[in-house]
Amino acid sequence: MTDVLHKNIHTIDDSTLKGLAEWQKEGWLHIADERNPPPWGRIPFPEDIIGSVLVNQGVIQANTYEPMPAHRLVTASGLFCLSSPLAKCLLQAARQKVNS
């Protein structure tokens, strides 16, 4: 998952991530799974943050994805849940790996 997101996060058509990047404008943006979304403008719990990306002028920068060591696949809130665009990207990468 980390390698796929590192290579592709800036190209994934995720309207939520793009909107957050445009709103934040500059700095590091946390990418959280969707099992326990935080209130608007709040930082997710560390176990819900998949990783972070650098945002410059409201745009996610290529090759800046950094995984969050504290992310947990399972918590008291349940299994991690990716947004549809992130899940689609991971599934495509898995299919390519199986077919190669």
Side-chain angles (χ1 to χ4, degrees), residues 91-100:
L91 284 173
Q92 286 176 334
R95 286 185 184 120
Q96 287 175 350
K97 190 161 187 98
V98 168
N99 293 330
S100 62

Side-chain angles (χ1 to χ4, degrees), residues 4-50:
V4 172
L5 292 178
H6 184 78
K7 292 175 186 172
N8 298 293
I9 195 70
H10 65 288
T11 63
I12 297 172
D13 189 18
D14 188 324
S15 59
T16 302
L17 278 181
K18 287 181 177 181
L20 288 169
E22 288 173 9
W23 177 77
Q24 183 170 321
K25 303 275 188 253
E26 303 290 333
W28 288 92
L29 173 66
H30 297 305
I31 300 169
D33 62 36
E34 296 188 346
R35 82 179 129 208
N36 186 20
W40 176 252
R42 301 296 305 264
I43 296 174
F45 291 119
E47 63 265 17
D48 295 328
I49 298 173
I50 299 166

Side-chain angles (χ1 to χ4, degrees), residues 13-89:
D13 189 18
D14 188 324
S15 59
T16 302
L17 278 181
K18 287 181 177 181
L20 288 169
E22 288 173 9
W23 177 77
Q24 183 170 321
K25 303 275 188 253
E26 303 290 333
W28 288 92
L29 173 66
H30 297 305
I31 300 169
D33 62 36
E34 296 188 346
R35 82 179 129 208
N36 186 20
W40 176 252
R42 301 296 305 264
I43 296 174
F45 291 119
E47 63 265 17
D48 295 328
I49 298 173
I50 299 166
S52 300
V53 290
L54 185 61
V55 174
N56 187 8
Q57 296 181 354
V59 177
I60 295 172
Q61 301 301 294
N63 300 313
T64 62
Y65 174 81
E66 292 291 331
M68 172 60 122
H71 181 251
R72 299 292 173 253
L73 297 178
V74 180
T75 69
S77 298
L79 293 171
F80 84 110
C81 179
L82 296 174
S83 67
S84 293
L86 290 178
K88 183 179 175 182
C89 179

